[in-house]
Structures are given as structure tokens and as C-alpha cells.
Amino acid sequence: MQVSVAVVTGSTVPHPDLDETALIEALYHRAVAAESVAWDDESVDWQRFDAAVVRSTWNYENNQRGFVAWCHAVERVTRLANPARVIEWNTDKRYLAELDTAGVPTVPTQYSSPGTAWEPPDIGEYVVKPTVAGGARGAGRFTRGQDDRLAEQLARRIHDSGRTVMIQPYFRLIDEYGEKVLIFLGDTYSHAVLRGPILGPHGCYVDITRGWKTVDPVMPSEADIDLARRALAATPGGASQLTYARVDLVNDESFAPRVLEVELTEPCLFLHHAPGAVSQLADLIHVLAKQRSGRRGL
């Protein structure tokens, strides 16, 4: 019986993950029938796949509850990577509060839920964004005393959409040093890249391509890797159940690394920046799919 895998995207996603074609080809060479399938295509019979690997479901933010429900439904009929309870936890950035409680150094974050008053923080530069969003969409960088009216307008739009606002300090070292992005395949550190800054000052200006155009391989410090491992260990079920993971780090004003995000749902993994990374991920997916295929063959 041939093993089959769904590489999951979204019906309104304008372009696939950068590594999707290479991943599907690598699976083909392992005798795995892999195809790109949209999570929100109601005609799909997910039971026919031995595994569904979430990769570019970037439209979930418009229906996070529906997406989470889809994850749990698919997990009842096939293997899902990453697990549904992990995705449910990870698609709302209020998980940062749980990491902070667990002793993981994170970017300090305040939250303002719909229906509550919002006040600008008493700090210099700050970021306002929704807790449910990806790729810096809906985020803005502001300066206290100069842009508070714009920040309040953004916060109101987020509240009006039914989402929670999160407020974080903007560490100026990001402009000089960018973000370190650490990739784990399985529970093993694989590689890292340095991504340039995305948010421009004074308003809701977001240039996602600004960050992607300045991506280069980087050698993280042992402190960086250790912090990323601590963050993954604090996720629901721990790191051992993950097929892939990405941890974004920034340096605070004392140059200490802090977790900006833990991305376990649909992150770009920059596999093309690390020789052998595509093959390693394909091997993990192959093993995951064979586990169900073997049971079906009994």
C-alpha cells in the first residue's frame, strides 16, 4: 500500500511555502504520494491520507476557531503534524504568557481583550498587534507621545474584529541585528537564519518583504539554542511530539536573547538555507505517515 501525505495550504493563500515543491519532491523519492491540499476545501476526504502536514495555512487567522476545529477533526482520521492541541495553543499568541510563567525569557507582553479599555504603554517605542495573526499582519510600531492616536486606532480595529490586542516594547537592537530564527526538525536543532527588521516606525507600516529579502544563515550562540529548547520544552506535550518547530529570538537592551514567537503551525522553515534539511524533514514525515499506513494494512 502506497503511503500518501497531504501538504496542507489554504484556498486563498497567494503562493505556497518556499520549500513546498522541494519537500513534495523529496517525499516522492521516498515513494510517498504527496500533494498540496487546502485545509478549507470541504470536498477533501482527509481519511485517504496517511498524514497531513500543516505548512502554509496562512489564511487561518480569519477563522482561527474553524481552523482549530478542522485540526481536531483531521487528527481523528489521520496523523497530523503538528498535533491539534499544539496548533490550538500556538495560534493564539497569548501562549507567551504561559512561557513567561514557565520561566522562559520572552518579550514582555501586555494584553487587552475586546471590550476593555486600552492605554498606550509608558515606554518609548512599542508594538501593537493581534494575538491571532501571522507574518506581522495587522502589526504596527509606534512611539509613545507621537503615535498614540494611530496606535489606539489600530487597537480599536483589532478589538472590533473580535481579537485580543497585544502590546510589546520594541527593542531597537532589532533594527541593527534583526531577528534570529532557529529551526528544529523533530526535537533536534537543525539550522538558523538571521532575518532583517520588518516593522517601520511611526504607524501601521509593515513591509514583510523587507525582512525576507535580508535572510542569511547564521550561527546562533549556545545561549540562543538553549533558550529555544527551553521554549519548546514548555509547549503542550513537549518537544518530542513535534515534526517541526521555529523559535524567533530578539536581543533586549542588555543583549540578552528573548523569545519573540514560537511558531509550530505554519512557519517558513528556510530549509533551502541548510543542506540536508529538506531530506531530514521528508524522513520525519515519511515515518509519521508509515505509522498510520502500517495500521491500515493490518
Side-chain angles (χ1 to χ4, degrees):
M1 181 180 295
Q2 187 178 36
V3 176
S4 62
V5 168
V7 180
V8 186
T9 183
S11 61
T12 58
V13 171
H15 55 82
D17 176 69
L18 291 172
D19 299 304
E20 182 175 299
T21 300
L23 179 59
I24 289 176
E25 182 179 350
L27 289 167
Y28 171 80
H29 289 299
R30 288 157 177 78
V32 175
E35 60 183 282
S36 180
V37 188
W39 74 271
D40 48 352
D41 181 349
E42 295 181 358
S43 68
V44 176
D45 176 13
W46 296 99
Q47 187 169 292
R48 70 182 177 89
F49 296 104
D50 296 301
V53 183
V54 177
R55 291 306 310 125
S56 55
T57 56
W58 299 321
N59 61 341
Y60 80 84
E61 64 190 61
N62 299 317
N63 185 12
Q64 188 251 0
R65 290 184 179 178
F67 177 62
V68 168
W70 170 86
C71 290
H72 285 286
V74 168
E75 194 170 62
R76 288 192 288 269
V77 299
T78 189
R79 301 300 299 272
L80 183 68
N82 283 318
R85 69 168 177 158
V86 170
I87 291 175
E88 181 173 7
W89 178 85
N90 188 236
T91 49
D92 188 321
K93 293 181 178 64
R94 282 178 286 188
Y95 68 75
L96 288 170
E98 296 184 32
L99 294 181
D100 180 66
T101 299
V104 178
T106 62
V107 175
T109 307
Q110 301 172 26
Y111 301 94
S112 172
S113 58
T116 61
W118 182 85
E119 293 290 339
D122 190 20
I123 52 179
E125 281 196 287
Y126 59 95
V127 174
V128 173
K129 56 187 177 182
T131 58
V132 177
R137 289 183 294 275
R141 171 182 167 190
F142 307 97
T143 300
R144 179 76 160 105
Q146 297 182 36
D147 309 314
D148 295 337
R149 184 177 60 84
L150 292 174
E152 183 180 1
Q153 291 173 351
L154 175 58
R156 187 181 302 117
R157 289 198 298 273
I158 295 170
H159 281 165
D160 288 346
S161 72
R163 292 178 290 177
T164 296
V165 172
M166 56 191 297
I167 307 102
Q168 298 175 315
Y170 186 81
F171 294 138
R172 294 298 301 272
L173 290 176
I174 296 174
D175 291 337
E176 186 173 354
Y177 296 102
E179 301 174 16
K180 284 183 184 177
V181 176
L182 279 65
I183 309 299
F184 290 73
L185 300 178
D187 58 359
T188 303
Y189 167 72
S190 173
H191 59 284
V193 298
L194 190 66
R195 185 174 74 171
I198 294 174
L199 296 178
H202 307 305
C204 304
Y205 170 73
V206 177
D207 182 4
I208 190 69
T209 63
R210 181 182 175 201
W212 300 129
K213 288 177 181 176
T214 55
V215 170
D216 295 295
V218 69
M219 183 67 69
S221 67
E222 286 299 320
D224 293 332
I225 297 174
D226 178 68
L227 176 55
R229 286 184 173 137
R230 288 172 59 192
L232 295 180
T235 62
S240 62
Q241 65 178 331
L242 302 175
T243 300
Y244 58 81
R246 183 178 122 186
V247 183
D248 296 353
L249 305 179
V250 294
N251 290 330
D252 63 19
E253 302 304 335
S254 64
F255 283 87
R258 289 180 176 263
V259 173
L260 178 64
E261 289 191 33
V262 174
E263 302 208 37
L264 310 175
T265 303
E266 32 61 73
C268 179
L269 298 173
F270 304 102
L271 300 176
H272 54 290
H273 283 279
V278 171
S279 293
Q280 186 177 351
L281 180 57
D283 286 341
L284 290 168
I285 295 170
H286 188 201
V287 169
L288 184 75
K290 283 201 303 181
Q291 290 172 350
R292 178 172 184 266
S293 177
R295 288 199 298 272
R296 286 201 301 167
L298 293 177

